[in-house]
Amino acid sequence: MSNLNKEKLVEAPTWLCGYKYNGHLVGRVSKNKVVVEDIEFYVLGNYSQNFLKRLAEMIEHGVKINPASLRDQVVYIAAKLNSNLRLNELLKDIQQEICTIINAEAASILMYEADHLRFLVTVGKASGKIESIPVPMESIAGKIFLEGKALVFNDLETNPVHFKGVDKVAKFKTKNIVGSPIWVEDEKIGVIEVLNKDGGFSEEDAETVELFAKLIGRKLLSAWRYEKFSESFKKILLAIATAIDKRDNYTHQHSKNVARISVEIGKRMGLSQQELEKLEFSAILHDVGKIGIPDSILLKPGKLTDEEYKIIKNHTVYGAEILAQVKYVDEDILKGALEHHEKLDGSGYPYGKKGEEISLFGKIIGIADVFDALSSKRTYKEAWDFGEVLKIIEADVEKGKFSKEVFEKLLESVKELSEN
């Protein structure tokens, strides 16, 4: 480093907004500050600590680091947003990134619905409190949408357009706003608002938000449409599963319970949002094949004969055959329904699969299915205590029937569900 030319200028990585050295600021301040060797670095979320150490050493040796331009950073954060994420995750990423780059407290996205705007997921202190509130077109967000351009509002105390109903519900004080319409080509689909920046927002902030809104429009619309389809599809699946469960008054919540437990286990196993959604679909429909089992067997209060047990075991195969005809059901979803009665030691059905021959969905739904069946009331038994049920399942884990890893995640899930 001693041979470095002190006049040398080095271009910084895109995630570096600016830095402060010996009281002098180079570049811009962002919401994320990282201190290395008494140098304050202002960065975006996806930065490298090791690279910052190298930059700090270069700065101390007189090298000037040139932070990325604001425009390049906006393009960078918009490009790395993943449109394959579930809507809530994508929205949180969008809002956190824009808050970081603008150095603001909170952000929100509103979608246009006929005669009003409606909040989607929000980031900041208002998160989770205002999503159900319809926002009139006479509000600031409405004004931004109707005028079709980015606007700055730095004095909301005296602004009659500010819709204070949101602040009241959220117990959040909005001091200033910069916002822009969200565009997909020539169509306005909503508004992004960034809230509360010390010293107020500038025209540069407005240009930044406007550019960001144009870049994220298509990804946001794609995720929003998929989410609406997904929710509608899930409601149809749940209606089918509930209709089947209701053939027996004691199991009418079974599919919903198994889906909830399966998703909790899946989260703890690190499944992606897309995988969790498929797991939920598979768990909702895991018993759909019971539609092919006669009531005389399915609802029999006493012990089944060997022949009747053989018939009822066919529900997994029937279920797979039914699901194979559904356009949006892939192999993962199908296997969860087909394999949820398989056991690692080969003692399960319908095919007596062993170990890794059983899909992860089959393993997860299988253990969730047993947990709900034992902990719920049936025609032939009362509901058993969670602790007693977990001991029974643990004994089967030790016998090699269930995955130890999946059981550990079940324990964590049950503990959290019991506390809530």
Side-chain angles (χ1 to χ4, degrees), residues 85-96:
L85 289 173
R86 290 285 295 272
L87 181 63
N88 63 331
E89 297 297 322
L90 177 64
L91 288 169
K92 286 180 180 178
D93 280 357
I94 288 172
Q95 293 166 93
Q96 285 169 349

Side-chain angles (χ1 to χ4, degrees), residues 84-86 88-89 271-278:
N84 291 324
L85 289 173
R86 290 285 295 272
N88 63 331
E89 297 297 322
L271 298 188
S272 68
Q273 286 292 325
Q274 189 175 15
E275 289 169 328
L276 288 172
E277 182 175 61
K278 292 198 294 183

Side-chain angles (χ1 to χ4, degrees), residues 31 98 113 129 136 160 163 328 365 385 392:
K31 197 171 183 179
I98 195 65
E113 295 186 0
K129 300 175 182 176
F163 180 55
Y328 299 102
I365 297 171
D385 177 79
I392 292 170

Side-chain angles (χ1 to χ4, degrees), residues 86 234 259-260 262-263 275-285 361:
R86 290 285 295 272
K234 192 188 303 181
R260 182 168 59 109
S262 296
V263 170
E275 289 169 328
L276 288 172
E277 182 175 61
K278 292 198 294 183
L279 176 61
E280 184 177 20
F281 288 166
S282 186
I284 288 172
L285 293 172
F361 281 16

Side-chain angles (χ1 to χ4, degrees), residues 332 335-336 339 353 355-364:
D332 290 333
K335 282 186 175 181
E339 298 174 354
K353 291 185 176 182
E356 294 309 307
E357 294 175 347
I358 306 169
S359 67
L360 180 59
F361 281 16
K363 293 173 185 175
I364 292 174

Side-chain angles (χ1 to χ4, degrees), residues 86-88 223-238 277 280-281 284:
R86 290 285 295 272
L87 181 63
N88 63 331
W224 187 45
R225 284 176 174 170
Y226 176 78
E227 191 80 2
K228 290 173 76 174
F229 162 77
S230 175
E231 286 302 316
S232 298
F233 187 49
K234 192 188 303 181
K235 286 177 182 177
I236 293 170
L237 300 186
L238 197 54
E277 182 175 61
E280 184 177 20
F281 288 166
I284 288 172

Side-chain angles (χ1 to χ4, degrees), residues 305-322:
T305 66
D306 289 346
E307 187 60 33
E308 288 170 336
Y309 187 53
K310 284 181 183 178
I311 292 172
I312 209 165
K313 286 197 294 186
N314 285 332
H315 81 274
T316 55
V317 178
Y318 296 159
E321 290 173 350
I322 292 168

